[in-house]
């Protein structure tokens, strides 16, 4: 997602790294990189030109405040490069927003009619939205109104069954508008407070499709007509959206398949071209891969600066709060084993593909490309080959245990010791963080159990899969490791009998 754009903005920012002040020349030079990446991301040229002009005007037009007060009232220095990034951020937000994320209700019912070309992801989105509404304590009904493909009804029924949402389908031969009309009656009589109509698509917009959609709209008067677009279509997705909107006014857009799209141009340009806001993004095939569209978070991610709000939200989705709190408490006392690490790695994986999770982390945003899922897998395999005792106290792993674990997991003994060592460092770091005179107490987060915020901690990067990803260690660390290795050898000797 957005890798192309992030690359352009990052190199623009780097170009301004050493400059003393912004001027026509150095801003133009930086904007050249941005321009390239916008075009590569398949954003329409007219929009690119307009965007660049706005950024330039903002960057040069306002006097650069070299000192501002931060949130805590301290005066901090702002470099010209940072000022430029701020201008880009504000213009990106203006380009993509504003968005009102709520879905419209009418008479207590949230009704959504999904329209769009064939294969863009309407049926998938229907199920994702039903799930979203369900989490919002709503009782939705899904309506299979795609009568042109028999498999479409079955597809929606399967998805509905998975999330426990009823699907309204009719006898073969019933027209789509009739199905929707029946469904609306069922909503009223069946105590539903949300309804999602999954309509048919075609390969291109044609008169027949539009006629059917108009009839469904008349029959159901949905509060939200949502056009589903495929991000992989790039600029074409936006053009189709504009054409659709001319024939059947739409209220909002949902952009799908962002996960497979490195360009992200459609997300950037859709609002500017169609005047219609994007409300959600589809970021994967599974039902939980639906993100509310937040221009601020996306702008920040595009600029390679992460998206903490999005990350915390993802985290809250996958984690049991009470359990996380208890885990964090143990963690900060240094009382945890490799099983806990495994559990945390799984939690993070539930938050989505690793590189996507990383792109939301402020310090790692620009590094998301380099994230190595394979490395996590190999850590998992290593831990799986260990006995419960070894997982709890990895320091008992000696040469012969290591070679057994290595064989069992298809690795080398070296990898086993590497993992044990990095784990030991992590455990030490956590317990020093959490000790009574540790960093967290100094930051006023002392009384862990009460009011402790594990999500915040994860966001700060403390609870992440540090072990799996810490291979690029610095010289200093390496020296520390050497002396630790010595100590570990001693400890192993002592523990051999355990
Ligand atoms: N990778 C990815 N695939 C998606 C996404 N949304 C839908 N798909 C896939 O796109 C294909 C078409 O989706 P479908 O919902 O049947 O499209 P429809 O014809 O518009 O109803 C299916 O294989 C879906 O699994 C998404 O956000 N990401
Ligand atoms: Mg469909």
């Amino acid at each position: 997602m957005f890798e192309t754009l992030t690359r352009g903005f990052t190199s623009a920012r780097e170009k301004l790294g050493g400059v003393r002040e912004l001027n026509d020349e150095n801003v133009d030079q930086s904007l050249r990189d941005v321009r390239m990446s916008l075009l590569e991301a398949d954003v329409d040229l007219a929009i690119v030109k307009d965007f660049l002009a706005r950024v330039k005007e903002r960057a040069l037009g306002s006097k650069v405040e070299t000192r501002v007060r931060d949130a805590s009232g301290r005066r901090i220095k702002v470099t010209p490069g940072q000022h430029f990034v701020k201008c880009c951020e504000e213009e990106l937000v203006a380009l993509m927003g504003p968005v009102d994320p709520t879905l419209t209700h009418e008479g207590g019912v949230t009704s959504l009619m999904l329209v769009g070309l064939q294969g863009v992801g309407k049926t998938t989105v229907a199920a994702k939205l039903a799930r979203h509404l369900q989490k919002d304590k709503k009782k939705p009904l899904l309506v299979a109104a795609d009568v042109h493909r028999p498999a479409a009804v079955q597809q929606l029924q399967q998805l509905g069954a998975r999330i426990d949402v009823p699907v309204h389908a009719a006898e073969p031969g019933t027209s789509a508008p009739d199905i929707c009309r029946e469904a609306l009656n069922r909503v009223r009589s069946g105590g539903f407070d949300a309804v999602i109509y999954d309509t048919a698509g075609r390969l291109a917009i044609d008169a027949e499709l539009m006629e059917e959609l108009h009839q469904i709209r008349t029959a159901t008067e949905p509060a939200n007509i949502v056009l589903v677009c495929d991000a992989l279509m790039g600029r074409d997705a936006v053009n189709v959206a504009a054409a659709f909107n001319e024939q059947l006014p739409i209220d909002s857009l949902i952009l799908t398949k962002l996960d497979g799209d490195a360009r992200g141009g459609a997300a950037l340009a859709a609002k500017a071209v169609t005047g219609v806001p994007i409300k959600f993004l589809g970021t994967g095939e599974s039902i939980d891969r639906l993100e509310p569209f937040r221009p601020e978070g996306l702008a920040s991610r595009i600029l390679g600066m992460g998206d903490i709000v999005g990350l915390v939200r993802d985290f809250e989705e996958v984690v049991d709060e009470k359990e996380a709190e208890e885990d964090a408490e143990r963690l900060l006392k240094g009382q945890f084993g490799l099983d806990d690490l495994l559990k945390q790695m799984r939690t993070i994986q539930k938050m989505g593909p690793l590189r996507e999770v990383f792109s939301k982390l402020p310090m790692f945003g620009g590094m998301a490309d380099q994230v190595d899922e394979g490395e996590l897998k190999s850590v998992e395999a290593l831990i799986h080959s260990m006995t419960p005792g070894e997982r709890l106290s990895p320091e008992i792993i000696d040469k012969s245990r290591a070679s057994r674990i290595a064989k069992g997991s298809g690795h080398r003994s070296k990898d086993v010791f590497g993992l044990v060592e990095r784990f030991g460092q992590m455990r030490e770091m956590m317990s020093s963080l959490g000790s009574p005179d540790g960093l967290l107490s100094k930051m006023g987060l002392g009384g862990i159990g009460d009011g402790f915020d594990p999500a915040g901690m994860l966001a700060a990067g403390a609870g992440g899969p540090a072990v799996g990803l810490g291979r690029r260690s610095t010289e200093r660390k390496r020296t520390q490791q050497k002396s630790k290795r010595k100590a570990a050898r001693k400890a192993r000797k002592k523990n051999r009998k355990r």
Side-chain angles (χ1 to χ4, degrees):
M1 265 169 88
F2 305 120
E3 288 89 343
T4 307
L5 292 167
T6 303
R7 221 180 306 127
F9 281 105
T10 306
S11 95
R13 181 176 53 198
E14 279 165 3
K15 280 208 174 124
L16 290 170
V19 307
R20 298 178 79 91
E21 60 172 17
L22 296 180
N23 58 34
D24 217 59
E25 203 178 329
N26 58 27
V27 167
D28 273 347
Q29 219 175 35
S30 278
L31 285 179
R32 219 165 290 154
D33 293 335
V34 175
R35 177 194 162 92
M36 285 260 289
S37 69
L38 287 169
L39 290 175
E40 207 182 314
D42 210 19
V43 179
D44 199 71
L45 182 62
I47 290 182
V48 174
K49 280 187 170 159
D50 189 51
F51 176 78
L52 297 175
R54 283 166 190 269
V55 172
K56 185 170 173 182
E57 192 187 318
R58 202 184 267 266
L60 296 176
S62 55
K63 190 175 158 292
V64 181
E65 289 290 340
T66 52
R67 294 199 175 268
V68 295
R69 289 193 185 278
D70 69 2
S72 60
R74 254 180 333 154
R75 286 171 80 81
I76 51 166
K77 218 174 153 229
V78 178
T79 66
Q82 286 165 336
H83 176 70
F84 175 81
V85 172
K86 185 88 193 111
C87 295
C88 290
E89 188 180 14
E90 284 163 357
E91 286 304 332
L92 280 173
V93 171
L95 182 65
M96 293 186 284
V99 181
D100 172 5
T102 51
L103 295 166
T104 313
H105 314 271
E106 243 158 53
V109 175
T110 311
S111 52
L112 294 142
M113 175 175 164
L114 301 184
V115 301
L117 298 183
Q118 195 174 319
V120 292
K122 289 181 300 302
T123 303
T124 312
V125 161
K128 287 177 176 180
L129 284 171
R131 181 89 191 99
H132 174 81
L133 289 164
Q134 218 178 21
K135 282 186 193 159
D136 238 13
K137 307 274 181 289
K138 292 254 173 203
K139 191 178 165 201
L141 177 69
L142 282 163
V143 185
D146 180 355
V147 291
H148 300 280
R149 288 191 307 168
V153 176
Q154 222 176 36
Q155 184 193 358
L156 191 65
Q157 280 168 331
Q158 278 166 1
L159 290 168
R162 234 190 286 158
I163 51 174
D164 216 10
V165 170
V167 174
H168 183 82
E171 294 291 310
T174 318
S175 77
D178 281 343
I179 294 174
C180 294
R181 212 172 283 127
E182 279 170 20
L184 188 56
N185 287 333
R186 185 168 158 194
V187 167
R188 291 180 183 135
S189 62
F192 294 95
D193 54 10
V195 55
I196 301 167
Y197 305 99
D198 177 30
T199 69
R202 300 284 152 81
L203 290 174
I205 301 177
D206 63 33
E208 205 185 327
L209 170 68
M210 282 303 168
E211 178 53 30
E212 183 177 292
L213 295 178
H214 275 116
Q215 283 179 16
I216 294 175
R217 182 182 64 169
T218 310
T220 60
E221 297 183 348
N224 308 268
I225 300 184
V226 182
L227 178 71
V228 182
C229 303
D230 178 344
L232 295 173
M233 286 169 66
R235 200 185 327 178
D236 285 341
V238 179
N239 293 337
V240 167
F244 235 100
N245 193 33
E246 270 170 25
Q247 298 188 34
L248 178 86
I250 49 186
D251 301 300
S252 59
L253 301 172
I254 291 183
L255 198 59
T256 60
K257 307 188 195 176
L258 260 289
D259 52 312
D261 178 35
R263 303 173 303 171
L268 222 59
K271 175 80 192 283
V273 175
T274 62
V276 178
I278 299 175
K279 287 213 181 187
F280 292 95
L281 297 177
T283 58
E285 290 190 68
S286 71
I287 290 178
D288 54 341
R289 307 302 297 156
L290 184 76
E291 287 188 22
F293 188 78
R294 294 182 307 106
E296 291 79 11
L298 286 184
S300 174
R301 253 157 102 178
I302 288 172
L303 292 168
M305 303 190 304
D307 173 14
I308 285 294
V309 178
L311 190 69
V312 170
R313 203 204 50 237
D314 292 350
F315 186 64
E316 284 167 349
E317 292 252 303
V318 297
V319 104
D320 172 339
E321 208 176 317
K322 191 165 169 348
E323 202 182 305
E325 201 167 308
E326 285 164 7
D327 281 355
E329 210 168 312
R330 267 187 319 113
L331 230 67
L332 287 171
K333 289 181 184 152
Q335 298 169 352
F336 62 104
L338 284 163
D339 269 331
D340 295 291
L341 177 70
L342 207 55
K343 195 164 121 194
Q344 288 205 357
M345 278 166 41
R346 296 228 172 95
T347 304
I348 299 219
Q349 281 165 323
K350 268 196 257 167
M351 288 165 66
L354 205 54
R355 51 193 307 188
E356 221 180 277
V357 176
F358 262 67
S359 75
K360 292 181 188 169
L361 275 167
M363 319 262 239
F364 298 96
M367 276 170 50
D369 284 17
Q370 300 163 30
V371 170
D372 184 359
E373 303 257 355
E375 209 176 332
L376 265 198
K377 290 236 161 60
S378 91
V379 170
E380 255 195 87
L382 284 168
I383 299 178
H384 274 305
S385 292
M386 296 178 185
T387 65
E390 288 163 353
R391 293 184 198 186
L392 196 63
S393 324
E395 60 281 355
I396 65 171
I397 294 172
D398 55 17
K399 246 190 185 157
S400 77
R401 283 175 187 263
S403 109
R404 190 204 79 238
I405 295 163
K407 256 194 215 123
S409 62
H411 287 79
R412 292 165 304 178
S413 293
K414 201 169 101 184
D415 303 322
V416 181
F417 285 127
L419 171 65
V420 169
E421 227 168 73
R422 286 175 309 197
F423 179 74
Q425 285 162 10
M426 181 166 116
R427 188 147 68 173
E428 216 165 274
M429 187 187 87
M430 295 303 283
S431 60
S432 72
L433 265 179
S435 74
D437 56 347
L439 187 63
L440 288 183
S441 326
K442 285 186 186 133
M443 282 163 48
L445 293 168
I448 303 161
D450 40 289
F452 176 70
D453 172 16
M457 192 176 124
L458 177 91
V467 167
L469 299 152
R471 65 173 166 182
R472 280 173 221 95
S473 44
T474 58
E475 265 317 303
R476 195 168 52 86
K477 255 192 187 157
R478 244 173 249 145
T479 330
Q480 281 176 354
Q481 282 172 356
K482 248 188 196 160
S483 60
K484 283 228 176 88
R485 230 173 276 153
K486 234 175 164 177
R489 265 200 300 274
K490 262 191 193 161
R492 275 200 295 276
K493 253 188 194 158
K494 246 175 66 188
N495 283 323
R496 202 154 282 168
K497 300 258 145 52
R498 265 162 83 177

